[in-house]
Amino acid sequence: MQLNHLNLCVDNLSEATDFFQTFFNFQLIEQKGDAIAVMSDSNHFTLVLSNPRAFGGETPTYPNEFHIGFYVETVAEVDQMFDRLAATKIHMDHGPRKIRNGYTLYFKALGGILFEVSCFNL
């Protein structure tokens, strides 16, 4: 069994689609106004971004420990992500560091959602 899609609620659909395209190489497949955007990556994972306000709801508050993680092959890729994020002024409390058995960068984006970019090939 494999996880093949996820619906992530966001406040700003345009900002979120740009973010996932720019930093994680997702491709926009389909968008329905300011309500839903369907994206896919090179591994055929489908990311559905939705704006609950478009349906009369409210964007949920994610728990502090909730995060979205991406694994990369090399430490250099983690460092490159840090540099790219820093160049766009995305706030990060600190740079990448060794955590448990990996080299990891944590940062918040898209209204406070926590992201992780990790390499376990040390």
Side-chain angles (χ1 to χ4, degrees):
M1 186 178 327
Q2 178 180 329
L3 179 64
N4 58 20
H5 75 275
L6 171 77
N7 179 65
L8 184 66
C9 296
V10 296
D11 281 328
N12 185 322
L13 201 60
S14 178
E15 176 188 22
T17 56
D18 288 347
F19 176 80
F20 280 100
Q21 286 174 319
T22 300
F23 293 106
F24 298 106
N25 298 317
F26 275 80
Q27 301 299 314
L28 182 61
I29 305 296
E30 179 181 4
Q31 184 164 341
K32 296 183 180 186
D34 291 330
I36 292 177
V38 179
M39 305 186 83
S40 184
D41 70 4
S42 61
N43 295 312
H44 307 291
F45 180 82
T46 300
L47 175 63
V48 178
L49 300 171
S50 63
N51 179 352
R53 289 180 292 143
F55 303 100
E58 295 180 16
T59 302
T61 302
Y62 293 105
N64 288 337
E65 293 77 21
F66 174 83
H67 67 280
I68 300 169
F70 292 88
Y71 292 159
V72 295
E73 294 294 320
T74 67
V75 167
E77 289 176 274
V78 178
D79 289 334
Q80 289 167 359
M81 178 64 77
F82 173 74
D83 292 342
R84 290 176 64 209
L85 291 164
T88 63
K89 309 291 190 233
I90 289 180
H91 174 74
M92 294 171 278
D93 289 335
H94 53 78
R97 57 188 171 169
K98 189 171 181 184
I99 300 176
R100 294 177 298 282
N101 296 327
Y103 184 67
T104 301
L105 171 65
Y106 286 106
F107 64 94
K108 290 187 177 183
L110 303 179
I113 297 172
L114 182 62
F115 287 83
E116 170 189 345
V117 178
S118 293
C119 171
F120 292 98
N121 297 325
L122 301 180

